[in-house]
PDB file of all heavy atoms in Angstrom:
ATOM      1  N   THR U   1     -16.204   5.701 -26.003  1.00 88.00           N
ATOM      2  CA  THR U   1     -15.051   5.092 -26.685  1.00 88.00           C
ATOM      3  C   THR U   1     -14.990   5.463 -28.162  1.00 88.00           C
ATOM      4  O   THR U   1     -14.052   5.070 -28.857  1.00 88.00           O
ATOM      5  CB  THR U   1     -15.102   3.562 -26.552  1.00 88.00           C
ATOM      6  OG1 THR U   1     -16.348   3.076 -27.081  1.00 88.00           O
ATOM      7  CG2 THR U   1     -14.978   3.140 -25.100  1.00 88.00           C
ATOM      8  N   GLU U   2     -15.954   6.211 -28.649  1.00 84.00           N
ATOM      9  CA  GLU U   2     -15.976   6.665 -30.035  1.00 84.00           C
ATOM     10  C   GLU U   2     -16.359   8.147 -30.062  1.00 84.00           C
ATOM     11  O   GLU U   2     -17.142   8.589 -29.224  1.00 84.00           O
ATOM     12  CB  GLU U   2     -17.000   5.860 -30.871  1.00 84.00           C
ATOM     13  CG  GLU U   2     -16.634   4.397 -31.059  1.00 84.00           C
ATOM     14  CD  GLU U   2     -15.413   4.188 -31.924  1.00 84.00           C
ATOM     15  OE1 GLU U   2     -15.030   5.124 -32.662  1.00 84.00           O
ATOM     16  OE2 GLU U   2     -14.827   3.101 -31.853  1.00 84.00           O
ATOM     17  N   PRO U   3     -15.845   8.929 -31.000  1.00 81.00           N
ATOM     18  CA  PRO U   3     -14.895   8.544 -32.053  1.00 81.00           C
ATOM     19  C   PRO U   3     -13.449   8.464 -31.570  1.00 81.00           C
ATOM     20  O   PRO U   3     -12.558   8.108 -32.328  1.00 81.00           O
ATOM     21  CB  PRO U   3     -15.066   9.667 -33.071  1.00 81.00           C
ATOM     22  CG  PRO U   3     -15.406  10.861 -32.226  1.00 81.00           C
ATOM     23  CD  PRO U   3     -16.237  10.333 -31.095  1.00 81.00           C
ATOM     24  N   ARG U   4     -13.218   8.819 -30.288  1.00 86.00           N
ATOM     25  CA  ARG U   4     -11.874   8.763 -29.730  1.00 86.00           C
ATOM     26  C   ARG U   4     -11.868   7.923 -28.463  1.00 86.00           C
ATOM     27  O   ARG U   4     -12.881   7.791 -27.792  1.00 86.00           O
ATOM     28  CB  ARG U   4     -11.348  10.176 -29.399  1.00 86.00           C
ATOM     29  CG  ARG U   4     -11.260  11.100 -30.590  1.00 86.00           C
ATOM     30  CD  ARG U   4     -10.620  12.432 -30.223  1.00 86.00           C
ATOM     31  NE  ARG U   4     -10.579  13.318 -31.371  1.00 86.00           N
ATOM     32  CZ  ARG U   4      -9.664  13.262 -32.324  1.00 86.00           C
ATOM     33  NH1 ARG U   4      -8.701  12.355 -32.244  1.00 86.00           N
ATOM     34  NH2 ARG U   4      -9.691  14.083 -33.355  1.00 86.00           N
ATOM     35  N   MET U   5     -10.678   7.438 -28.103  1.00 92.00           N
ATOM     36  CA  MET U   5     -10.490   6.700 -26.856  1.00 92.00           C
ATOM     37  C   MET U   5     -10.079   7.617 -25.711  1.00 92.00           C
ATOM     38  O   MET U   5      -9.824   7.166 -24.603  1.00 92.00           O
ATOM     39  CB  MET U   5      -9.418   5.620 -27.049  1.00 92.00           C
ATOM     40  CG  MET U   5      -9.759   4.582 -28.098  1.00 92.00           C
ATOM     41  SD  MET U   5     -11.074   3.479 -27.550  1.00 92.00           S
ATOM     42  CE  MET U   5     -10.151   2.435 -26.413  1.00 92.00           C
ATOM     43  N   GLU U   6     -10.003   8.906 -25.987  1.00 94.00           N
ATOM     44  CA  GLU U   6      -9.521   9.890 -25.016  1.00 94.00           C
ATOM     45  C   GLU U   6     -10.162   9.742 -23.637  1.00 94.00           C
ATOM     46  O   GLU U   6      -9.478   9.669 -22.614  1.00 94.00           O
ATOM     47  CB  GLU U   6      -9.787  11.304 -25.556  1.00 94.00           C
ATOM     48  CG  GLU U   6      -9.615  12.413 -24.534  1.00 94.00           C
ATOM     49  CD  GLU U   6     -10.618  13.538 -24.727  1.00 94.00           C
ATOM     50  OE1 GLU U   6     -11.253  13.612 -25.791  1.00 94.00           O
ATOM     51  OE2 GLU U   6     -10.750  14.347 -23.788  1.00 94.00           O
ATOM     52  N   GLN U   7     -11.512   9.707 -23.592  1.00 95.00           N
ATOM     53  CA  GLN U   7     -12.198   9.686 -22.299  1.00 95.00           C
ATOM     54  C   GLN U   7     -11.931   8.390 -21.544  1.00 95.00           C
ATOM     55  O   GLN U   7     -11.760   8.403 -20.322  1.00 95.00           O
ATOM     56  CB  GLN U   7     -13.696   9.896 -22.498  1.00 95.00           C
ATOM     57  CG  GLN U   7     -14.045  11.292 -22.967  1.00 95.00           C
ATOM     58  CD  GLN U   7     -15.550  11.517 -22.997  1.00 95.00           C
ATOM     59  OE1 GLN U   7     -16.336  10.648 -22.621  1.00 95.00           O
ATOM     60  NE2 GLN U   7     -15.962  12.689 -23.439  1.00 95.00           N
ATOM     61  N   LEU U   8     -11.888   7.280 -22.248  1.00 96.00           N
ATOM     62  CA  LEU U   8     -11.623   5.996 -21.603  1.00 96.00           C
ATOM     63  C   LEU U   8     -10.209   5.973 -21.018  1.00 96.00           C
ATOM     64  O   LEU U   8     -10.000   5.510 -19.887  1.00 96.00           O
ATOM     65  CB  LEU U   8     -11.799   4.856 -22.605  1.00 96.00           C
ATOM     66  CG  LEU U   8     -11.565   3.445 -22.058  1.00 96.00           C
ATOM     67  CD1 LEU U   8     -12.573   3.113 -20.959  1.00 96.00           C
ATOM     68  CD2 LEU U   8     -11.656   2.403 -23.183  1.00 96.00           C
ATOM     69  N   ILE U   9      -9.244   6.486 -21.761  1.00 96.00           N
ATOM     70  CA  ILE U   9      -7.855   6.523 -21.273  1.00 96.00           C
ATOM     71  C   ILE U   9      -7.767   7.416 -20.038  1.00 96.00           C
ATOM     72  O   ILE U   9      -7.145   7.052 -19.031  1.00 96.00           O
ATOM     73  CB  ILE U   9      -6.910   7.018 -22.387  1.00 96.00           C
ATOM     74  CG1 ILE U   9      -6.885   6.026 -23.551  1.00 96.00           C
ATOM     75  CG2 ILE U   9      -5.501   7.231 -21.838  1.00 96.00           C
ATOM     76  CD1 ILE U   9      -6.198   6.557 -24.799  1.00 96.00           C
ATOM     77  N   ARG U  10      -8.390   8.603 -20.106  1.00 97.00           N
ATOM     78  CA  ARG U  10      -8.351   9.523 -18.963  1.00 97.00           C
ATOM     79  C   ARG U  10      -9.024   8.896 -17.751  1.00 97.00           C
ATOM     80  O   ARG U  10      -8.515   8.992 -16.621  1.00 97.00           O
ATOM     81  CB  ARG U  10      -9.022  10.843 -19.324  1.00 97.00           C
ATOM     82  CG  ARG U  10      -9.016  11.864 -18.163  1.00 97.00           C
ATOM     83  CD  ARG U  10      -9.672  13.178 -18.540  1.00 97.00           C
ATOM     84  NE  ARG U  10      -8.935  13.836 -19.601  1.00 97.00           N
ATOM     85  CZ  ARG U  10      -9.397  14.019 -20.832  1.00 97.00           C
ATOM     86  NH1 ARG U  10     -10.614  13.570 -21.157  1.00 97.00           N
ATOM     87  NH2 ARG U  10      -8.670  14.624 -21.748  1.00 97.00           N
ATOM     88  N   ALA U  11     -10.181   8.257 -17.958  1.00 97.00           N
ATOM     89  CA  ALA U  11     -10.918   7.662 -16.839  1.00 97.00           C
ATOM     90  C   ALA U  11     -10.114   6.542 -16.183  1.00 97.00           C
ATOM     91  O   ALA U  11     -10.086   6.422 -14.954  1.00 97.00           O
ATOM     92  CB  ALA U  11     -12.268   7.138 -17.331  1.00 97.00           C
ATOM     93  N   ARG U  12      -9.462   5.711 -16.991  1.00 97.00           N
ATOM     94  CA  ARG U  12      -8.661   4.620 -16.442  1.00 97.00           C
ATOM     95  C   ARG U  12      -7.468   5.154 -15.642  1.00 97.00           C
ATOM     96  O   ARG U  12      -7.159   4.656 -14.551  1.00 97.00           O
ATOM     97  CB  ARG U  12      -8.167   3.711 -17.573  1.00 97.00           C
ATOM     98  CG  ARG U  12      -9.245   2.786 -18.123  1.00 97.00           C
ATOM     99  CD  ARG U  12      -8.738   2.003 -19.316  1.00 97.00           C
ATOM    100  NE  ARG U  12      -9.702   0.989 -19.737  1.00 97.00           N
ATOM    101  CZ  ARG U  12      -9.639   0.338 -20.891  1.00 97.00           C
ATOM    102  NH1 ARG U  12      -8.646   0.596 -21.741  1.00 97.00           N
ATOM    103  NH2 ARG U  12     -10.550  -0.571 -21.196  1.00 97.00           N
ATOM    104  N   LYS U  13      -6.808   6.183 -16.163  1.00 96.00           N
ATOM    105  CA  LYS U  13      -5.670   6.752 -15.459  1.00 96.00           C
ATOM    106  C   LYS U  13      -6.108   7.420 -14.166  1.00 96.00           C
ATOM    107  O   LYS U  13      -5.455   7.284 -13.117  1.00 96.00           O
ATOM    108  CB  LYS U  13      -4.943   7.749 -16.362  1.00 96.00           C
ATOM    109  CG  LYS U  13      -4.189   7.095 -17.519  1.00 96.00           C
ATOM    110  CD  LYS U  13      -3.443   8.128 -18.343  1.00 96.00           C
ATOM    111  CE  LYS U  13      -2.603   7.447 -19.422  1.00 96.00           C
ATOM    112  NZ  LYS U  13      -1.832   8.426 -20.229  1.00 96.00           N
ATOM    113  N   ALA U  14      -7.230   8.155 -14.213  1.00 96.00           N
ATOM    114  CA  ALA U  14      -7.732   8.829 -13.018  1.00 96.00           C
ATOM    115  C   ALA U  14      -8.141   7.820 -11.950  1.00 96.00           C
ATOM    116  O   ALA U  14      -7.883   8.022 -10.754  1.00 96.00           O
ATOM    117  CB  ALA U  14      -8.917   9.723 -13.382  1.00 96.00           C
ATOM    118  N   ALA U  15      -8.760   6.733 -12.372  1.00 97.00           N
ATOM    119  CA  ALA U  15      -9.160   5.688 -11.416  1.00 97.00           C
ATOM    120  C   ALA U  15      -7.931   5.016 -10.815  1.00 97.00           C
ATOM    121  O   ALA U  15      -7.899   4.720  -9.610  1.00 97.00           O
ATOM    122  CB  ALA U  15     -10.054   4.663 -12.107  1.00 97.00           C
ATOM    123  N   ALA U  16      -6.906   4.785 -11.637  1.00 96.00           N
ATOM    124  CA  ALA U  16      -5.688   4.146 -11.134  1.00 96.00           C
ATOM    125  C   ALA U  16      -4.986   5.020 -10.100  1.00 96.00           C
ATOM    126  O   ALA U  16      -4.355   4.510  -9.165  1.00 96.00           O
ATOM    127  CB  ALA U  16      -4.744   3.851 -12.294  1.00 96.00           C
ATOM    128  N   LEU U  17      -5.114   6.350 -10.249  1.00 95.00           N
ATOM    129  CA  LEU U  17      -4.510   7.286  -9.293  1.00 95.00           C
ATOM    130  C   LEU U  17      -5.404   7.533  -8.080  1.00 95.00           C
ATOM    131  O   LEU U  17      -5.005   8.241  -7.153  1.00 95.00           O
ATOM    132  CB  LEU U  17      -4.207   8.624  -9.983  1.00 95.00           C
ATOM    133  CG  LEU U  17      -3.091   8.621 -11.027  1.00 95.00           C
ATOM    134  CD1 LEU U  17      -3.017   9.955 -11.741  1.00 95.00           C
ATOM    135  CD2 LEU U  17      -1.749   8.293 -10.378  1.00 95.00           C
ATOM    136  N   GLY U  18      -6.633   6.980  -8.093  1.00 96.00           N
ATOM    137  CA  GLY U  18      -7.555   7.176  -6.987  1.00 96.00           C
ATOM    138  C   GLY U  18      -8.284   8.500  -7.004  1.00 96.00           C
ATOM    139  O   GLY U  18      -8.889   8.902  -6.003  1.00 96.00           O
ATOM    140  N   LEU U  19      -8.270   9.190  -8.151  1.00 96.00           N
ATOM    141  CA  LEU U  19      -8.925  10.494  -8.251  1.00 96.00           C
ATOM    142  C   LEU U  19     -10.424  10.368  -8.459  1.00 96.00           C
ATOM    143  O   LEU U  19     -11.202  11.202  -7.975  1.00 96.00           O
ATOM    144  CB  LEU U  19      -8.310  11.297  -9.407  1.00 96.00           C
ATOM    145  CG  LEU U  19      -6.827  11.604  -9.289  1.00 96.00           C
ATOM    146  CD1 LEU U  19      -6.283  12.162 -10.599  1.00 96.00           C
ATOM    147  CD2 LEU U  19      -6.577  12.590  -8.152  1.00 96.00           C
ATOM    148  N   THR U  20     -10.841   9.344  -9.199  1.00 97.00           N
ATOM    149  CA  THR U  20     -12.254   9.097  -9.489  1.00 97.00           C
ATOM    150  C   THR U  20     -12.458   7.587  -9.541  1.00 97.00           C
ATOM    151  O   THR U  20     -11.507   6.811  -9.443  1.00 97.00           O
ATOM    152  CB  THR U  20     -12.663   9.698 -10.853  1.00 97.00           C
ATOM    153  OG1 THR U  20     -11.923   9.036 -11.893  1.00 97.00           O
ATOM    154  CG2 THR U  20     -12.417  11.196 -10.930  1.00 97.00           C
ATOM    155  N   THR U  21     -13.714   7.171  -9.730  1.00 98.00           N
ATOM    156  CA  THR U  21     -14.002   5.797 -10.105  1.00 98.00           C
ATOM    157  C   THR U  21     -14.579   5.807 -11.512  1.00 98.00           C
ATOM    158  O   THR U  21     -14.887   6.870 -12.070  1.00 98.00           O
ATOM    159  CB  THR U  21     -15.005   5.150  -9.126  1.00 98.00           C
ATOM    160  OG1 THR U  21     -16.179   5.978  -9.044  1.00 98.00           O
ATOM    161  CG2 THR U  21     -14.400   4.997  -7.742  1.00 98.00           C
ATOM    162  N   MET U  22     -14.721   4.632 -12.112  1.00 97.00           N
ATOM    163  CA  MET U  22     -15.271   4.577 -13.465  1.00 97.00           C
ATOM    164  C   MET U  22     -16.090   3.317 -13.646  1.00 97.00           C
ATOM    165  O   MET U  22     -15.916   2.327 -12.922  1.00 97.00           O
ATOM    166  CB  MET U  22     -14.170   4.632 -14.517  1.00 97.00           C
ATOM    167  CG  MET U  22     -13.278   3.415 -14.589  1.00 97.00           C
ATOM    168  SD  MET U  22     -12.313   3.336 -16.138  1.00 97.00           S
ATOM    169  CE  MET U  22     -13.562   2.731 -17.287  1.00 97.00           C
ATOM    170  N   LEU U  23     -16.995   3.382 -14.608  1.00 97.00           N
ATOM    171  CA  LEU U  23     -17.747   2.217 -15.052  1.00 97.00           C
ATOM    172  C   LEU U  23     -17.346   1.908 -16.480  1.00 97.00           C
ATOM    173  O   LEU U  23     -17.267   2.812 -17.315  1.00 97.00           O
ATOM    174  CB  LEU U  23     -19.253   2.467 -14.993  1.00 97.00           C
ATOM    175  CG  LEU U  23     -19.967   2.220 -13.660  1.00 97.00           C
ATOM    176  CD1 LEU U  23     -21.463   2.486 -13.822  1.00 97.00           C
ATOM    177  CD2 LEU U  23     -19.747   0.797 -13.167  1.00 97.00           C
ATOM    178  N   ASP U  24     -17.102   0.643 -16.756  1.00 94.00           N
ATOM    179  CA  ASP U  24     -16.748   0.219 -18.105  1.00 94.00           C
ATOM    180  C   ASP U  24     -17.977   0.355 -19.001  1.00 94.00           C
ATOM    181  O   ASP U  24     -19.025  -0.226 -18.719  1.00 94.00           O
ATOM    182  CB  ASP U  24     -16.283  -1.232 -18.073  1.00 94.00           C
ATOM    183  CG  ASP U  24     -15.684  -1.679 -19.398  1.00 94.00           C
ATOM    184  OD1 ASP U  24     -16.044  -1.101 -20.446  1.00 94.00           O
ATOM    185  OD2 ASP U  24     -14.867  -2.609 -19.382  1.00 94.00           O
ATOM    186  N   PRO U  25     -17.890   1.141 -20.085  1.00 91.00           N
ATOM    187  CA  PRO U  25     -19.039   1.291 -20.977  1.00 91.00           C
ATOM    188  C   PRO U  25     -19.495  -0.017 -21.604  1.00 91.00           C
ATOM    189  O   PRO U  25     -20.607  -0.102 -22.122  1.00 91.00           O
ATOM    190  CB  PRO U  25     -18.544   2.286 -22.036  1.00 91.00           C
ATOM    191  CG  PRO U  25     -17.061   2.276 -21.932  1.00 91.00           C
ATOM    192  CD  PRO U  25     -16.735   1.938 -20.516  1.00 91.00           C
ATOM    193  N   ALA U  26     -18.664  -1.061 -21.542  1.00 92.00           N
ATOM    194  CA  ALA U  26     -19.072  -2.366 -22.058  1.00 92.00           C
ATOM    195  C   ALA U  26     -20.206  -2.966 -21.238  1.00 92.00           C
ATOM    196  O   ALA U  26     -20.895  -3.877 -21.689  1.00 92.00           O
ATOM    197  CB  ALA U  26     -17.882  -3.320 -22.079  1.00 92.00           C
ATOM    198  N   GLN U  27     -20.427  -2.468 -20.011  1.00 95.00           N
ATOM    199  CA  GLN U  27     -21.500  -2.951 -19.136  1.00 95.00           C
ATOM    200  C   GLN U  27     -22.808  -2.200 -19.329  1.00 95.00           C
ATOM    201  O   GLN U  27     -23.770  -2.409 -18.587  1.00 95.00           O
ATOM    202  CB  GLN U  27     -21.072  -2.818 -17.671  1.00 95.00           C
ATOM    203  CG  GLN U  27     -19.851  -3.632 -17.287  1.00 95.00           C
ATOM    204  CD  GLN U  27     -19.465  -3.383 -15.842  1.00 95.00           C
ATOM    205  OE1 GLN U  27     -18.953  -2.340 -15.482  1.00 95.00           O
ATOM    206  NE2 GLN U  27     -19.731  -4.361 -14.988  1.00 95.00           N
ATOM    207  N   LEU U  28     -22.862  -1.353 -20.322  1.00 94.00           N
ATOM    208  CA  LEU U  28     -23.962  -0.416 -20.501  1.00 94.00           C
ATOM    209  C   LEU U  28     -25.340  -1.058 -20.491  1.00 94.00           C
ATOM    210  O   LEU U  28     -26.319  -0.478 -19.989  1.00 94.00           O
ATOM    211  CB  LEU U  28     -23.757   0.354 -21.814  1.00 94.00           C
ATOM    212  CG  LEU U  28     -24.669   1.530 -22.108  1.00 94.00           C
ATOM    213  CD1 LEU U  28     -24.396   2.672 -21.151  1.00 94.00           C
ATOM    214  CD2 LEU U  28     -24.474   2.001 -23.551  1.00 94.00           C
ATOM    215  N   ALA U  29     -25.476  -2.251 -21.025  1.00 95.00           N
ATOM    216  CA  ALA U  29     -26.796  -2.877 -21.144  1.00 95.00           C
ATOM    217  C   ALA U  29     -27.374  -3.302 -19.793  1.00 95.00           C
ATOM    218  O   ALA U  29     -28.582  -3.531 -19.679  1.00 95.00           O
ATOM    219  CB  ALA U  29     -26.712  -4.084 -22.080  1.00 95.00           C
ATOM    220  N   ASP U  30     -26.541  -3.401 -18.766  1.00 97.00           N
ATOM    221  CA  ASP U  30     -26.967  -3.895 -17.459  1.00 97.00           C
ATOM    222  C   ASP U  30     -27.130  -2.723 -16.492  1.00 97.00           C
ATOM    223  O   ASP U  30     -26.178  -1.977 -16.245  1.00 97.00           O
ATOM    224  CB  ASP U  30     -25.920  -4.883 -16.934  1.00 97.00           C
ATOM    225  CG  ASP U  30     -26.362  -5.600 -15.659  1.00 97.00           C
ATOM    226  OD1 ASP U  30     -27.473  -5.301 -15.163  1.00 97.00           O
ATOM    227  OD2 ASP U  30     -25.592  -6.441 -15.170  1.00 97.00           O
ATOM    228  N   THR U  31     -28.324  -2.563 -15.942  1.00 98.00           N
ATOM    229  CA  THR U  31     -28.590  -1.455 -15.030  1.00 98.00           C
ATOM    230  C   THR U  31     -27.905  -1.633 -13.679  1.00 98.00           C
ATOM    231  O   THR U  31     -27.509  -0.657 -13.025  1.00 98.00           O
ATOM    232  CB  THR U  31     -30.106  -1.303 -14.801  1.00 98.00           C
ATOM    233  OG1 THR U  31     -30.751  -1.133 -16.068  1.00 98.00           O
ATOM    234  CG2 THR U  31     -30.432  -0.112 -13.917  1.00 98.00           C
ATOM    235  N   ALA U  32     -27.719  -2.869 -13.236  1.00 98.00           N
ATOM    236  CA  ALA U  32     -27.216  -3.150 -11.889  1.00 98.00           C
ATOM    237  C   ALA U  32     -25.866  -2.501 -11.587  1.00 98.00           C
ATOM    238  O   ALA U  32     -25.678  -1.965 -10.489  1.00 98.00           O
ATOM    239  CB  ALA U  32     -27.151  -4.664 -11.667  1.00 98.00           C
ATOM    240  N   PRO U  33     -24.876  -2.535 -12.505  1.00 98.00           N
ATOM    241  CA  PRO U  33     -23.600  -1.887 -12.176  1.00 98.00           C
ATOM    242  C   PRO U  33     -23.739  -0.394 -11.894  1.00 98.00           C
ATOM    243  O   PRO U  33     -23.040   0.134 -11.025  1.00 98.00           O
ATOM    244  CB  PRO U  33     -22.747  -2.138 -13.431  1.00 98.00           C
ATOM    245  CG  PRO U  33     -23.326  -3.373 -14.048  1.00 98.00           C
ATOM    246  CD  PRO U  33     -24.800  -3.265 -13.791  1.00 98.00           C
ATOM    247  N   MET U  34     -24.633   0.286 -12.604  1.00 98.00           N
ATOM    248  CA  MET U  34     -24.840   1.703 -12.354  1.00 98.00           C
ATOM    249  C   MET U  34     -25.474   1.918 -10.985  1.00 98.00           C
ATOM    250  O   MET U  34     -25.053   2.809 -10.224  1.00 98.00           O
ATOM    251  CB  MET U  34     -25.713   2.329 -13.450  1.00 98.00           C
ATOM    252  CG  MET U  34     -26.064   3.803 -13.216  1.00 98.00           C
ATOM    253  SD  MET U  34     -24.617   4.909 -13.119  1.00 98.00           S
ATOM    254  CE  MET U  34     -24.145   5.002 -14.858  1.00 98.00           C
ATOM    255  N   VAL U  35     -26.467   1.115 -10.638  1.00 98.00           N
ATOM    256  CA  VAL U  35     -27.100   1.230  -9.317  1.00 98.00           C
ATOM    257  C   VAL U  35     -26.056   1.044  -8.223  1.00 98.00           C
ATOM    258  O   VAL U  35     -25.968   1.840  -7.272  1.00 98.00           O
ATOM    259  CB  VAL U  35     -28.236   0.195  -9.161  1.00 98.00           C
ATOM    260  CG1 VAL U  35     -28.731   0.153  -7.704  1.00 98.00           C
ATOM    261  CG2 VAL U  35     -29.392   0.532 -10.098  1.00 98.00           C
ATOM    262  N   ALA U  36     -25.250   0.015  -8.349  1.00 98.00           N
ATOM    263  CA  ALA U  36     -24.226  -0.262  -7.333  1.00 98.00           C
ATOM    264  C   ALA U  36     -23.201   0.859  -7.245  1.00 98.00           C
ATOM    265  O   ALA U  36     -22.774   1.247  -6.145  1.00 98.00           O
ATOM    266  CB  ALA U  36     -23.540  -1.588  -7.640  1.00 98.00           C
ATOM    267  N   ALA U  37     -22.799   1.401  -8.387  1.00 98.00           N
ATOM    268  CA  ALA U  37     -21.801   2.479  -8.400  1.00 98.00           C
ATOM    269  C   ALA U  37     -22.349   3.740  -7.743  1.00 98.00           C
ATOM    270  O   ALA U  37     -21.642   4.427  -6.998  1.00 98.00           O
ATOM    271  CB  ALA U  37     -21.373   2.769  -9.831  1.00 98.00           C
ATOM    272  N   LEU U  38     -23.608   4.055  -8.010  1.00 98.00           N
ATOM    273  CA  LEU U  38     -24.232   5.226  -7.382  1.00 98.00           C
ATOM    274  C   LEU U  38     -24.361   5.037  -5.871  1.00 98.00           C
ATOM    275  O   LEU U  38     -24.178   5.988  -5.093  1.00 98.00           O
ATOM    276  CB  LEU U  38     -25.600   5.500  -8.006  1.00 98.00           C
ATOM    277  CG  LEU U  38     -25.614   5.906  -9.482  1.00 98.00           C
ATOM    278  CD1 LEU U  38     -27.048   6.123  -9.962  1.00 98.00           C
ATOM    279  CD2 LEU U  38     -24.788   7.163  -9.726  1.00 98.00           C
ATOM    280  N   GLN U  39     -24.661   3.847  -5.453  1.00 98.00           N
ATOM    281  CA  GLN U  39     -24.797   3.575  -4.023  1.00 98.00           C
ATOM    282  C   GLN U  39     -23.465   3.662  -3.288  1.00 98.00           C
ATOM    283  O   GLN U  39     -23.430   3.938  -2.084  1.00 98.00           O
ATOM    284  CB  GLN U  39     -25.442   2.196  -3.818  1.00 98.00           C
ATOM    285  CG  GLN U  39     -26.915   2.152  -4.219  1.00 98.00           C
ATOM    286  CD  GLN U  39     -27.501   0.757  -4.186  1.00 98.00           C
ATOM    287  OE1 GLN U  39     -26.775  -0.240  -4.304  1.00 98.00           O
ATOM    288  NE2 GLN U  39     -28.823   0.650  -4.054  1.00 98.00           N
ATOM    289  N   ARG U  40     -22.362   3.438  -4.001  1.00 98.00           N
ATOM    290  CA  ARG U  40     -21.036   3.527  -3.377  1.00 98.00           C
ATOM    291  C   ARG U  40     -20.505   4.957  -3.305  1.00 98.00           C
ATOM    292  O   ARG U  40     -19.571   5.248  -2.547  1.00 98.00           O
ATOM    293  CB  ARG U  40     -20.026   2.664  -4.152  1.00 98.00           C
ATOM    294  CG  ARG U  40     -20.208   1.165  -3.983  1.00 98.00           C
ATOM    295  CD  ARG U  40     -18.995   0.409  -4.541  1.00 98.00           C
ATOM    296  NE  ARG U  40     -18.819   0.619  -5.970  1.00 98.00           N
ATOM    297  CZ  ARG U  40     -19.320  -0.173  -6.917  1.00 98.00           C
ATOM    298  NH1 ARG U  40     -20.048  -1.239  -6.579  1.00 98.00           N
ATOM    299  NH2 ARG U  40     -19.102   0.075  -8.197  1.00 98.00           N
ATOM    300  N   LEU U  41     -21.073   5.850  -4.075  1.00 98.00           N
ATOM    301  CA  LEU U  41     -20.527   7.201  -4.178  1.00 98.00           C
ATOM    302  C   LEU U  41     -20.422   7.938  -2.835  1.00 98.00           C
ATOM    303  O   LEU U  41     -19.443   8.666  -2.614  1.00 98.00           O
ATOM    304  CB  LEU U  41     -21.345   8.034  -5.172  1.00 98.00           C
ATOM    305  CG  LEU U  41     -20.813   8.100  -6.616  1.00 98.00           C
ATOM    306  CD1 LEU U  41     -21.749   8.915  -7.493  1.00 98.00           C
ATOM    307  CD2 LEU U  41     -19.413   8.705  -6.649  1.00 98.00           C
ATOM    308  N   PRO U  42     -21.382   7.827  -1.915  1.00 98.00           N
ATOM    309  CA  PRO U  42     -21.244   8.574  -0.647  1.00 98.00           C
ATOM    310  C   PRO U  42     -20.003   8.179   0.155  1.00 98.00           C
ATOM    311  O   PRO U  42     -19.516   8.972   0.969  1.00 98.00           O
ATOM    312  CB  PRO U  42     -22.528   8.214   0.110  1.00 98.00           C
ATOM    313  CG  PRO U  42     -23.515   7.871  -0.951  1.00 98.00           C
ATOM    314  CD  PRO U  42     -22.709   7.180  -2.017  1.00 98.00           C
TER     315      PRO U  42
END
């Protein structure tokens, strides 16, 4: 999200279109969301 919002905007738009998924960087301190997201990838 720094120094630009470019990546966050692109990730949100891509997720809304169903092209990718995303994790909110605000959750960074918690390992569990990353584990769950990786487990869903297959």
Side-chain angles (χ1 to χ4, degrees):
T1 57
E2 293 292 342
R4 300 185 182 279
M5 299 289 284
E6 167 216 345
Q7 291 187 3
L8 181 62
I9 295 169
R10 180 179 296 113
R12 284 175 172 167
K13 289 182 175 181
L17 291 173
L19 299 169
T20 63
T21 54
M22 69 164 282
L23 275 182
D24 189 334
Q27 298 177 287
L28 189 68
D30 188 358
T31 304
M34 176 60 75
V35 170
L38 295 179
Q39 290 173 336
R40 288 192 298 267
L41 265 178

